């Protein structure tokens, strides 16, 4: 990941506890007014992508079904069933529409906490 | 160098970058600069109206990866002002100068206005760009707020675009009239009788139509905004907003100034290679004029883009001329015209069918021997458009009348489409190309064919036909349309059901480890959840299996378009007490929910937020209601008529039986939803024969009909048994349902299941009444287990604090409402705000204001 001229400051922030997440069921988080979908996969990794579904305009991604496509961990929108690779946010099932990616954020587990690398508003 | 960043420019760049279409794997060696002026990435202009009907502007954007390619430089907002042909360079608004080896003009058209006094008053719009529709929506919102009433709107120009704009205005709650100078709507596509039929359909939709009316002047009110129209006959009409849809003019000014040859009627002249009179310059899309005409449709533009790109890559291709077929995109009004619709071919015959009662008009134009289809017009029912358009120039292969009669949806008699028949005209994909996608490119379903060929990816009107061709080809390949559920399971649902039953496994992890691979997806997980629910009879939110459920089953409510949910309490048989109704009314009022009676005889409350669901259900459960399973692939409703208890003609107690059946099967998970109906006599007021199980009372007892369906492919249920007593009826339905649950495919309703059953209806009778398979005891036991294990999912959830955490809106702010929700009042209730309303910001109640309306 290359960061170009950070005009804003980015810091790690705690979002919630690991125990607040359920394996293969997303949860939404609200950070500075932005809705993020957090997903805990069976390998113990936590992923963060946009909660906004770019196809329906509703904030529902965290409520989709989590699974895999080949080796990629995925989440499907509950609205029109497009699916994304949780690692990159790339749309892997477009349902015939133009592909639209989800934003992704860096997330880490630190002990019992889930931390997200968040760009603070300037 | 590409001037203009519209739909055709986008397709051109996409095609030019297409890495080695010959399969050599080479990276196409181009450096492309695209100069636009709208200040945004290319978007789907054809779908522009969706911005006013709930879609978003972002939703229109065409594949962004194309312009993001590192071979492309995209400047979204620097219009080209001059072409310097001698120096091979263009100069832009900002003064920048770009040199080119080859220049492509894709500047499209602009929308014309009438050259009459007042044409540019505030409140007058054209309908071409995102900025136009945004401006229109903002104006309508602000103006109606200011005037405190519905607005009156006029659309000047009754062509395709005018009708679409009128529909959009109506969607903005504007009373709307279309003014057309000629004697009929869509005069470029329709003849007099079909134009007349269309007029009636448009008027029936509440849109006014004035033909042979010429607007001569527009006048403002004191605020300076448009307020009145004057017509040539001297009459006037009040108007708060006016939209001009009087045609488009090619934007050929750059070309004219650079002394490229242009058509006197507008448009840059091109040859079959899409080259202009300067071989270093091509023109494509609406700005180009071929054979003396410039056409305002996207399909020919796309074809030109492909030709120009292929040529630049050194390939052979030529533009073959225009296909003027069009279909109107106005919901509820089907109109299409294709090929030689006006029968101008010498000797052409036409065959017409008109039904003034239903408002259907169809005309086919045939060659003089009545064998070859040349064109046609469809009004009121354009379902055969895809098939017929593809057949233009081909042998009809059947009595033409067969295509005109109101058949079940798409014209049935079609023989095989010839390989060169164009199936998708948006992207010019032939039947042959689709076949090739299946046979050579290895596509295994319509979605893959769509991704691979673009057939069906633009307007979608060809999707059904594409699907049919793909199905036929797969069958030919002997591939059978694969039964595998998805990439995780090679088995069909039926095989998986047996596998789970025999192995006795009870969790998803165990089943996928033993019979599948990976961690599942949104197809196999809900299917397995349903199988496990029937076989283990556990609560849908128990343990690991909770994660298998789609959001509807997971939170036991139906997700709506804005991400909120609807709440449907069960009302067995459609029966509800006055006190029950009052409780529901109070709850809906207290939580600000939109209420409506459903098509299934109960009340639905919409707009409940995730974190509100437990509070709402607590009150419902306390008042004695339980989940209506409107969200599940499970029993929905048992519809009843009032029956012998009140009705003069009732033979048996249909409400009583409906209540018994609904309480018996409530919560039963199945491959698809299950619906029943019970009518008290042969008059059939409960429409029972449109249900999975329809029960009709007779003097001799109950008649049981099976395999009915409403929905997309309606079917009447067929008689399975006559004169049953209560007990016989219930046993028969128990076995019928359980047999279906065990053996049907994923998402297969009983109607197609019954149709595909070996031995047909007679076979089903033998299984149920003669126990021909020896499984009746099993089926009965399975149903008994279901009935015994039934508990109300909502009551159980409310009693379990751990399950309730699933209803928190945010993990770090459990009760904060989704801040993006916004509502508008309509007919005394709320509905989600449209994108236009959100952007204009008027009338909106967000959820953060406590909504007690
Ligand atoms: C609410 C309701 C419309 C209404 O306001 O009246 C409705 C709403 C939906 N119907 Fe329906 N249907 C409703 C009665 C019907 C009926 C009429 C009936 O039941 O008598 C039919 C035709 C009868 C039939 O099913 O054969 C009907 C045929 C469908 C179909 C087509 C099924 C088919 O076999 O072709 C779908 C699509 C599907 O299930 O795949 C569908 C799907 C839907 C979905 C689930 C679409 C969706 O995914 O959002 C809607 C959401 C329900 C919700 O509560 O949010 N709905 N739907 C009706 C709820 C009835 C109830 O009390 O539970
Ligand atoms: C509401 C609506 C509905 C429609 N429905 C249909 C339909 O159902 N079926 C159908 O076939 N067609 C339909 N059309 C027509 C279709 O959208 C057009 O045929 C298509 O967009 C043409 O593509 P184009 O790239 O040639 O032109 P455009 O999409 O107009 O793109 C041209 C672009 O070039 C830019 N430009 C112009 N001059 C310059 C300059 N000097 N410098 C830089 N940039 C410049 C313009 O701003 C514009 O963005 C519809 C159009 C509208 C408005
Ligand atoms: S018909 Fe059914 S699915 Fe379609 S809009 Fe109405 S409720 Fe929704
Ligand atoms: S005809 Fe429009 S997408 Fe195929």
């Amino acid at each position: 990941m290359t960061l170009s001229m950070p005009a804003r400051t980015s810091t790690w922030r705690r979002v919630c506890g690991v125990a607040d997440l359920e394996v293969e069921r997303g949860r939404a988080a609200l950070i500075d007014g932005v809705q993020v979908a957090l997903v805990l996969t069976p390998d113990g990794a936590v992923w963060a992508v946009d909660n906004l579904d770019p196809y329906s305009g509703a904030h529902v991604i965290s409520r989709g079904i989590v699974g895999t496509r080949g080796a990629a961990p995925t989440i499907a929108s509950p609205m029109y069933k497009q699916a994304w690779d949780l690692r990159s946010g790339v749309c892997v099932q477009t349902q015939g529409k133009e592909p639209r990616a989800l934003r992704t954020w860096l997330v880490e587990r630190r002990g019992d906490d889930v931390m997200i690398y968040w760009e603070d508003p300037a | 160098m590409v001037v203009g960043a519209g739909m055709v420019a986008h397709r051109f760049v996409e095609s030019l970058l297409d890495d080695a279409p010959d399969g050599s794997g080479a990276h196409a060696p181009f450096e492309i600069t695209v100069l636009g002026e709208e200040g945004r990435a290319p978007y789907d202009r054809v779908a522009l109206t969706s911005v006013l009907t709930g879609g978003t502007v972002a939703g229109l954007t065409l594949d962004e990866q194309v312009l993001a390619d590192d071979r492309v430089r995209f400047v979204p907002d620097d219009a080209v002002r001059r072409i310097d042909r001698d120096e091979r360079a263009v100069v832009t608004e900002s003064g920048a100068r770009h040199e080119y080896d080859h220049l492509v003009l894709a500047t499209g058209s602009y929308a014309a206005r009438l050259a009459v006094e007042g044409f540019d008053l505030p409140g007058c719009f054209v309908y071409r760009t995102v900025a136009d529709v945004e401006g229109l929506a903002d104006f309508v919102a602000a103006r109606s707020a200011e005037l405190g009433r519905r607005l009156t709107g006029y659309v000047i120009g009754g062509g395709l675009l005018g009708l679409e704009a009128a529909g959009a205005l109506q969607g903005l709650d504007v009373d709307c009239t279309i003014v057309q100078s000629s004697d009929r709507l869509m005069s470029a596509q329709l003849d007099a009788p079909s134009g007349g039929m269309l007029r009636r359909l448009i008027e029936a939709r509440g849109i006014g139509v004035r033909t042979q009316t010429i607007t001569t002047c527009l006048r403002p009110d004191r605020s300076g905004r448009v307020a009145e129209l004057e017509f040539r006959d001297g009459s006037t009409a009040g108007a708060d907003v006016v939209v001009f849809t009087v045609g488009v003019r090619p934007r050929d000014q750059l070309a004219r100034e650079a002394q490229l040859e242009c058509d006197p009627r507008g448009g840059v002249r091109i040859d079959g290679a899409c080259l202009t009179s300067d071989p270093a310059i091509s023109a494509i899309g609406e700005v180009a004029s071929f054979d003396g005409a410039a056409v305002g449709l996207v399909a020919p533009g796309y074809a030109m883009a492909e030709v120009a790109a292929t040529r630049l890559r050194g390939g052979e291709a030529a533009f073959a001329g225009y296909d003027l077929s069009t279909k109107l995109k106005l919901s509820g009004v089907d109109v299409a015209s294709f090929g030689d619709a006006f029968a101008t071919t010498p000797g052409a015959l036409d065959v017409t069918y008109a039904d003034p009662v239903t408002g259907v008009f169809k005309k086919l134009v045939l060659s003089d021997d009545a064998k070859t289809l040349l064109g046609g017009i469809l009004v009121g029912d354009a379902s055969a458009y895809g098939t017929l358009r593809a057949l233009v120039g081909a042998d009809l292969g059947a009595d033409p009348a067969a295509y005109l009669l109101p058949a079940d949806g798409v014209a049935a008699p079609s023989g095989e489409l010839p390989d060169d028949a164009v199936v998708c005209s948006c992207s010019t994909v032939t039947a042959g190309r689709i076949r090739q996608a299946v046979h050579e490119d290895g596509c295994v379903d319509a979605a893959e064919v769509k991704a691979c060929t673009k057939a069906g990816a633009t307007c979608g009107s060809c999707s059904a036909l594409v699907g049919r061709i793909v199905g036929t080809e797969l069958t030919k390949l002997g591939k059978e349309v694969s039964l595998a559920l998805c990439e995780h399971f090679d088995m069909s649902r039926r095989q998986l059901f047996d596998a789970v039953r025999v192995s006795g496994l009870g969790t998803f992890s165990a089943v996928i480890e033993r019979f599948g691979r990976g961690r599942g997806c949104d197809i196999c997980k809900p299917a397995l959840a349903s199988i496990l629910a029937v076989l283990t009879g556990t609560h849908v939110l128990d343990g690991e299996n909770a994660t298998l459920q789609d959001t509807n089953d997971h939170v036991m409510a139906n997700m709506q378009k804005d991400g909120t949910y609807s709440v449907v309490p069960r009302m067995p048989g459609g029966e509800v007490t006055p006190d029950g109704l009052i409780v529901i009314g109070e709850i809906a009022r207290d939580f600000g929910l939109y209420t409506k009676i459903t098509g299934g005889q109960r009340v639905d409350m919409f707009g409940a937020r995730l974190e509100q669901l437990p509070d709402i259900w607590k009150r419902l459960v306390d008042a004695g209601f339980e989940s209506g399973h409107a969200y599940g692939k499970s029993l929905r409703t048992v519809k009843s008529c009032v029956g012998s208890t009140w009705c003069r003609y009732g033979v048996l107690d249909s409400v009583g039986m409906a209540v018994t059946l609904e309480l018996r099967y409530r919560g039963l998970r199945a491959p698809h939803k299950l619906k029943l109906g019970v009518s008290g006599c042969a008059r059939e007021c409960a429409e029972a024969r449109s249900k999975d199980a329809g029960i009709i009372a007779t003097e001799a007892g109950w008649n049981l009909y099976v395999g009915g369906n409403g929905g997309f492919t309606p079917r009447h249920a067929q008689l399975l048994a006559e004169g049953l007593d209560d007990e016989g009826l219930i046993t028969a339905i128990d076995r019928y349902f359980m047999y279906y649950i065990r053996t049907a495919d994923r998402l297969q309703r009983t109607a197609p299941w019954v149709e595909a059953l070996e031995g047909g209806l007679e076979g089903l009778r033998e299984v149920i009444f003669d126990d021909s398979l020896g499984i009746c005891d099993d089926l009965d036991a399975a149903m008994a287990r279901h009935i015994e294990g039934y508990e109300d999912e909502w009551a159980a959830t409310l009693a379990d604090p751990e399950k309730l955490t699933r209803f928190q809106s945010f993990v770090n702010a459990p009760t904060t409402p989704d801040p993006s929700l916004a509502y508008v009042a309509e007919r005394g209730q709320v509905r989600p705000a449209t994108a236009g309303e959100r952007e204009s910001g008027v009338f909106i109640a967000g959820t953060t204001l406590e909504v007690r309306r």
Side-chain angles (χ1 to χ4, degrees):
Chain A
M1 186 182 198
T2 51
L3 294 174
S4 56
M5 298 294 288
R8 298 168 161 199
T9 53
S10 305
T11 45
W12 287 99
R13 280 215 219 169
R14 180 182 186 276
V15 202
C16 62
V18 176
D20 293 328
L21 302 180
E22 193 183 345
V23 176
E24 294 191 334
R25 194 89 225 178
R27 290 296 303 269
L30 190 60
I31 310 175
D32 292 341
V34 177
Q35 297 195 31
V36 175
L38 297 174
V39 180
L40 173 61
T41 41
D43 56 2
V46 182
W47 308 97
V49 296
D50 266 319
N51 197 34
L52 174 66
D53 172 2
Y55 293 94
S56 66
H59 290 78
V60 295
I61 296 296
S62 55
R63 290 176 256 163
I65 288 184
V66 179
T68 57
R69 288 205 135 216
T74 55
I75 190 160
S77 168
M79 200 67 83
Y80 301 124
K81 316 295 178 205
Q82 281 83 12
W84 291 266
D85 186 334
L86 284 167
R87 302 171 302 188
S88 59
V90 166
C91 188
V92 292
Q93 164 57 277
T94 61
Q95 303 292 357
K97 304 278 186 207
E98 297 291 341
R100 291 205 206 125
L102 297 180
R103 270 182 300 174
T104 58
W105 285 268
L106 287 175
V107 232
E108 251 179 44
R109 289 175 61 160
R110 286 200 202 143
D112 296 337
D113 294 331
V114 174
M115 309 291 292
I116 189 165
Y117 194 66
W118 193 257
E119 189 170 277
D120 289 319
Chain B
M1 167 75 46
V2 181
V3 186
M7 298 182 74
V8 171
H10 182 271
R11 169 60 65 91
F12 169 75
V13 174
E14 182 176 24
S15 172
L16 194 57
L17 291 183
D18 193 359
D19 291 329
D22 54 6
S24 70
H27 208 48
F30 292 99
E31 269 176 44
I32 311 171
T33 303
V34 180
L35 297 173
E37 56 156 22
E38 288 194 60
R40 56 179 91 239
Y43 57 88
D44 184 355
R45 200 177 301 288
V46 172
L48 190 60
T49 299
S50 68
V51 173
L52 300 179
T53 53
T56 59
V57 173
L60 292 181
T61 308
L62 298 170
D63 187 353
E64 286 171 303
Q65 282 164 12
V66 171
L67 296 189
D69 191 288
D70 22 300
R71 289 164 287 177
V72 180
R73 189 150 71 99
F74 172 43
V75 185
D77 53 0
D78 198 9
V80 172
R81 283 292 162 249
R82 197 160 56 78
I83 305 173
D84 186 344
R85 284 168 54 193
D86 299 334
E87 302 279 314
R88 294 210 173 173
V90 298
V91 179
T92 67
E93 181 82 60
S94 72
R97 191 183 154 82
H98 304 266
E99 293 184 358
Y100 61 84
D101 297 321
H102 193 88
L103 179 68
V104 176
L105 294 174
T107 48
S109 305
Y110 65 87
R113 296 191 186 218
L114 281 188
V116 295
E117 192 188 328
F119 72 87
D120 57 352
L121 287 171
C124 295
F125 294 88
V126 291
Y127 202 75
R128 176 79 192 174
T129 63
V130 163
D132 294 335
V133 297
E134 285 180 337
L136 175 64
D138 289 350
F139 180 85
V140 167
R143 188 74 169 146
S144 64
E146 180 189 347
L147 297 174
R149 58 167 170 82
R150 274 172 84 99
L151 299 186
T152 302
Y154 274 81
V155 173
I156 316 264
L160 275 171
L161 194 57
L163 292 169
E164 198 177 321
L169 269 185
Q170 200 180 32
L172 293 175
D173 223 14
V174 173
D175 285 323
C176 183
T177 303
I178 300 172
V179 179
Q180 168 73 326
S181 55
S182 73
D183 63 343
R184 59 178 185 273
L185 295 172
M186 285 178 63
S187 45
Q189 290 87 15
L190 301 184
D191 56 11
S194 53
M197 193 70 88
L198 173 61
R199 176 183 189 140
R200 291 180 36 203
L201 292 176
I202 295 290
E203 286 173 342
R205 211 172 172 272
I207 298 176
V209 178
R210 288 181 70 145
T211 50
Q212 290 179 296
T213 304
I214 299 196
T215 314
T216 47
C217 170
L218 291 83
R219 291 203 192 85
D221 65 3
R222 259 176 301 164
S223 76
R225 279 164 291 186
V226 70
E228 191 180 72
L229 300 182
E230 187 179 295
F231 303 112
R232 179 174 291 167
D233 62 7
S235 65
T236 59
D240 307 310
V241 55
V242 175
V243 179
F244 290 104
T245 50
V246 291
V248 294
R249 307 276 180 273
R251 295 183 64 171
D252 56 9
Q253 196 192 344
L254 282 176
R256 282 179 194 274
E257 287 171 2
Q259 262 122 46
L260 291 174
E261 256 181 55
C262 290
D263 193 272
R265 287 181 295 171
V268 189
R269 254 188 209 145
I270 57 165
D271 60 14
C274 297
L275 292 177
T276 64
S277 52
D278 176 343
I281 305 181
S282 309
I284 55 179
E286 289 192 354
V287 73
S289 167
F290 181 75
D291 234 3
V295 166
L297 294 174
V298 72
Y302 277 177
M304 292 176 192
E306 300 285 353
V307 169
T310 308
R311 291 242 165 198
L312 278 179
R313 280 200 311 249
E316 284 291 311
F319 181 63
Y322 298 108
D323 169 7
L324 299 183
S325 305
T326 42
K327 184 161 186 284
L328 175 65
K329 302 189 302 292
L330 177 60
S331 72
V333 183
D334 250 10
V335 183
S337 129
F338 55 95
D340 180 14
F342 290 103
T344 53
T345 312
L349 308 170
D350 57 45
V351 192
T352 53
Y353 164 86
D355 180 352
V357 178
T358 52
V360 174
F361 175 93
K362 300 181 190 179
K363 169 170 116 174
L364 295 187
V365 178
L366 304 168
S367 59
D368 49 9
D369 58 1
K371 281 211 175 114
T372 308
L373 181 65
L374 299 176
I377 294 176
L378 305 169
V379 177
D381 168 16
S383 52
Y385 173 62
T387 312
L388 288 173
R389 184 190 54 193
L391 278 171
V392 168
D395 193 332
L396 262 188
D399 176 3
Y403 289 93
L404 296 178
L405 297 175
D408 254 4
V410 189
S414 102
E416 286 254 296
L417 284 175
D419 268 348
D420 57 0
V422 175
V423 172
C424 174
S425 72
C426 286
S427 298
T428 325
V429 184
T430 59
R433 177 70 190 90
I434 294 172
R435 292 186 181 120
Q436 185 194 354
V438 174
H439 291 274
E440 286 161 37
D441 307 333
C443 297
V444 299
D445 56 28
E448 288 190 6
V449 170
K450 188 196 274 184
C452 167
T453 66
K454 296 209 155 37
T458 307
C459 78
S461 63
C462 61
S463 300
L465 186 55
V466 174
R468 265 215 322 265
I469 298 177
V470 173
T472 316
E473 295 311 309
L474 284 175
T475 321
K476 271 192 213 153
L477 273 180
K479 267 195 196 157
E480 300 219 354
V481 185
S482 160
L483 285 179
L485 263 184
C486 59
E487 69 170 65
H488 305 103
F489 288 98
D490 296 331
M491 301 178 198
S492 68
R493 179 190 178 279
R494 175 179 184 163
Q495 291 164 330
L496 193 58
F497 190 101
D498 288 338
V500 175
R501 188 168 55 96
V502 173
S503 66
L505 297 174
T507 65
F508 174 74
S509 292
V511 173
I512 196 159
E513 202 166 291
R514 172 107 170 251
F515 300 110
R517 65 185 76 84
R519 285 297 302 171
C521 64
D522 57 312
I523 294 177
C524 60
K525 281 189 160 178
L528 208 53
S530 150
I531 293 173
L532 288 169
V534 175
L535 288 176
T536 64
T538 43
H539 188 282
V540 285
L541 294 190
D542 269 348
E544 182 207 54
N545 293 346
T547 67
L548 307 180
Q549 308 283 0
D550 202 355
T551 186
N552 283 6
D553 276 274
H554 191 240
V555 304
M556 300 176 293
N558 290 55
M559 180 174 275
Q560 303 298 317
K561 61 193 294 181
D562 63 350
T564 61
Y565 293 86
S566 73
V567 169
V568 189
R570 188 167 292 293
M571 288 180 183
E575 199 177 61
V576 57
T577 61
D579 284 339
L581 274 179
I582 288 168
V583 169
I584 287 186
E586 284 171 349
I587 293 174
R589 190 192 52 208
D590 292 351
F591 288 89
L593 305 175
Y594 165 85
T595 51
K596 113 171 244 308
I597 306 293
T598 71
Q601 290 191 333
R602 47 193 185 171
V603 182
D604 201 343
M605 293 173 265
F606 297 81
R609 302 191 305 268
L610 185 62
E611 73 278 7
Q612 290 179 316
L613 289 171
D615 298 337
I616 293 171
W617 273 103
K618 170 98 188 36
R619 286 182 55 183
L620 286 167
V621 168
D622 286 348
F625 285 104
E626 55 180 26
S627 169
H629 295 104
Y631 45 83
K633 298 288 175 245
S634 59
L635 178 79
R636 292 292 168 89
T637 63
V638 183
K639 188 172 174 178
S640 75
C641 72
V642 65
S644 62
T645 45
W646 287 88
C647 177
R648 289 179 284 171
Y649 298 111
V651 187
L652 291 169
D653 176 10
S654 50
V655 179
M657 180 51 81
V659 172
T660 305
L661 294 174
E662 187 154 346
L663 296 181
R664 187 171 180 85
Y665 303 122
R666 62 188 166 181
L668 181 63
R669 293 304 202 268
H672 208 311
K673 55 197 171 190
L674 285 171
K675 300 178 177 183
L676 295 86
V678 187
S679 279
C681 82
R683 286 171 192 75
E684 243 283 71
C685 297
E687 298 173 305
R689 285 193 64 198
S690 65
K691 305 296 181 198
D692 298 282
I695 294 113
I696 301 175
T698 69
E699 302 284 353
W702 302 104
N703 285 1
L704 172 60
Y705 296 80
V706 296
N709 208 162
F712 190 69
T713 316
R715 301 244 168 76
H716 270 129
Q718 302 165 58
L719 185 64
L720 186 76
E722 283 175 284
L724 300 169
D725 59 13
D726 287 7
E727 204 189 322
L729 173 71
I730 287 170
T731 308
I733 304 175
D734 282 357
R735 292 176 182 172
Y736 161 59
F737 278 172
M738 269 301 163
Y739 186 40
Y740 160 69
I741 289 171
R742 263 199 196 178
T743 60
D745 265 332
R746 188 183 84 90
L747 296 186
Q748 184 181 40
R749 291 217 34 197
T750 57
W753 174 76
V754 167
E755 216 157 78
L757 261 189
E758 263 172 56
L761 218 49
E762 193 43 51
L764 184 59
R765 273 186 206 111
E766 285 165 10
V767 172
I768 292 179
F769 299 108
D770 310 334
D771 201 5
S772 60
L773 295 181
I775 56 169
C776 283
D777 285 347
D778 258 17
L779 300 178
D780 293 347
M783 190 60 87
R785 217 173 30 245
H786 161 72
I787 293 161
E788 206 175 300
Y790 172 82
E791 61 172 344
D792 175 27
E793 293 163 6
W794 261 110
T797 302
L798 292 171
D800 183 342
E802 204 194 309
K803 284 180 182 141
L804 288 176
T805 61
R806 291 169 192 167
F807 296 90
Q808 296 173 349
S809 50
F810 296 103
V811 66
N812 57 348
T815 55
T816 304
D818 175 348
S820 71
L821 300 174
Y823 295 91
V824 172
E826 188 168 88
R827 295 186 296 275
Q829 302 203 64
V830 290
R831 65 157 170 81
T834 63
E837 288 163 339
R838 281 163 179 278
E839 277 161 37
S840 71
V842 277
F843 300 143
I844 295 192
T847 47
T848 38
L849 316 168
E850 189 42 53
V851 260
R852 289 273 154 86
R853 286 152 294 230

